[in-house]
Amino acid sequence: MKHILITGANKGVGFETAKQLAQLGNFVFLGSRDLSAGQRAVDQLKAIGITNVEAIQIEVTDPDSIKEAKATLDAKIGTLDVLINNAGISGDAHQQLSESSMESIRQVFETNFFGVLQTTQVMLPLLRKSSAPSIVNVSSEISSLSMNMSENRNSNWKHYSTYGSSKTALNGLTVMLANELREENIMVNNVTPGYTATDLNQFKGLKTPEEGAKPIVALAILTDRTVTGKFFKDGGVVGW
Ligand SMILES: NC(=O)c1ccc[n+]([C@@H]2O[C@H](COP(=O)([O-])OP(=O)(O)OC[C@H]3O[C@@H](n4cnc5c(N)ncnc54)[C@H](OP(=O)(O)O)[C@@H]3O)[C@@H](O)[C@H]2O)c1
């Protein structure tokens, strides 16, 4: 049984990931910036017999909120096996780097990059107390430089270049941090749910949240401790 924290777990892919990981017998803390939304998500799981779950307030752009969440976890369990940095935003209607306001671009990076980094920094002391610590960062194929440079690239992606580049920055973070923490045996990897119907894309995604959660769950429970600095998707790897 692993103790797992998922940010942005009150809905979408994060919620489904929490559900599946709890069904596998892990204890899951559902992170939510609005605690009442997190509590409603937990109530939904408890209503179907999943009791190994708890809501925890965490706003990834607010250092005080992250520190409070860490203190709560420290008092309750004193360790953390898996941190799933899932919280993310796509930004305004205009998501192109060429025309988005700097304020909007900074907001997207604040959540998708700095949010992940500061959550990870604060949670590291708890992860270091685990015998098998793992950090799972939720990225997107839109971030892949090799896919963006391929002749078969998705022409639609250029409309989401603010979001895409924030996730490219996240990819860099994953690789750099994986190398930094390699000797401490802390795994750091990326995963994408794939194009999934959630609020993030006005439910236009082609996968269900249940399907989108699967590769995240697989990475969170991976037993091969040599895997670090990689980027996974359902049934394969994504090129950086
Ligand atoms: N859906 C896709 O097609 C797709 C594809 C590739 C990657 N992803 C990635 O998958 C992850 C989950 O997205 P999703 O599709 O499930 O979207 P979603 O349904 O919109 O869920 C996003 C979650 O992140 C939370 N969140 C946003 N900003 C936050 C902040 N500053 N602090 C804490 N929580 C915050 C949201 O909380 P609120 O409810 O309070 O807003 C919500 O719980 C994201 O990282 C996304 O980039 C999604």
Side-chain angles (χ1 to χ4, degrees):
M1 199 254 316
K2 291 177 186 292
H3 287 105
I4 299 173
L5 168 64
I6 308 175
T7 62
N10 52 290
K11 66 181 184 186
V13 169
F15 174 72
E16 276 303 323
T17 303
K19 181 179 172 188
Q20 291 177 25
L21 284 168
Q23 281 172 326
L24 289 170
N26 300 290
F27 194 96
V28 184
F29 289 89
L30 280 81
S32 172
R33 55 181 163 179
D34 170 1
L35 187 57
S36 58
Q39 197 51 57
R40 280 197 297 278
V42 162
D43 291 345
Q44 229 179 303
L45 295 178
K46 290 199 169 161
I48 55 169
I50 299 171
T51 56
N52 42 331
V53 285
E54 196 172 314
I56 187 165
Q57 199 275 337
I58 182 163
E59 158 63 67
V60 302
T61 63
D62 176 2
D64 289 340
S65 159
I66 304 167
K67 283 179 199 153
E68 216 162 290
K70 187 242 175 186
T72 303
L73 292 176
D74 205 3
K76 278 182 195 283
I77 50 173
T79 180
L80 184 64
D81 299 306
V82 186
L83 167 63
I84 304 182
N85 286 308
N86 166 76
I89 57 170
S90 52
D92 290 345
H94 293 290
Q95 293 182 13
Q96 291 179 265
L97 285 168
S98 57
E99 61 178 30
S100 292
S101 70
M102 288 311 294
E103 191 192 352
S104 161
I105 294 171
R106 282 185 206 282
Q107 210 183 352
V108 172
F109 273 72
E110 201 57 57
T111 301
N112 296 356
F113 177 75
F114 291 107
V116 171
L117 181 54
Q118 64 186 348
T119 301
T120 303
Q121 280 192 350
V122 171
M123 295 299 166
L124 261 177
L126 288 180
L127 287 158
R128 287 190 168 109
K129 290 187 187 159
S130 165
S131 57
S134 177
I135 298 165
V136 172
N137 293 332
V138 180
S139 189
S140 164
E141 279 177 305
I142 295 182
S143 70
S144 162
L145 295 179
S146 55
M147 289 178 78
N148 274 285
M149 291 304 289
S150 129
E151 280 180 15
N152 308 320
R153 66 181 159 266
N154 184 331
S155 56
N156 250 337
W157 284 2
K158 63 174 181 264
H159 300 300
Y160 305 99
S161 52
T162 298
Y163 171 74
S165 57
S166 74
K167 294 288 191 179
T168 309
L170 172 64
N171 298 353
L173 187 164
T174 296
V175 171
M176 303 290 168
L177 201 64
N179 286 342
E180 205 181 314
L181 300 177
R182 207 177 274 271
E183 282 170 17
E184 287 188 72
N185 199 28
I186 301 176
M187 295 161 70
V188 190
N189 291 289
N190 264 18
V191 62
T192 174
Y195 192 36
T196 303
T198 67
D199 263 338
L200 193 90
N201 50 36
Q202 298 78 48
F203 297 92
K204 289 184 196 141
L206 303 176
K207 291 173 126 185
T208 64
E210 288 86 345
E211 292 167 331
K214 285 209 169 93
I216 307 176
V217 169
L219 182 55
I221 59 170
L222 196 68
T223 50
D224 181 352
R225 300 289 310 161
T226 64
V227 177
T228 195
K230 302 272 190 275
F231 188 175
F232 296 95
K233 63 178 179 180
D234 198 15
V237 291
V238 181
W240 295 113

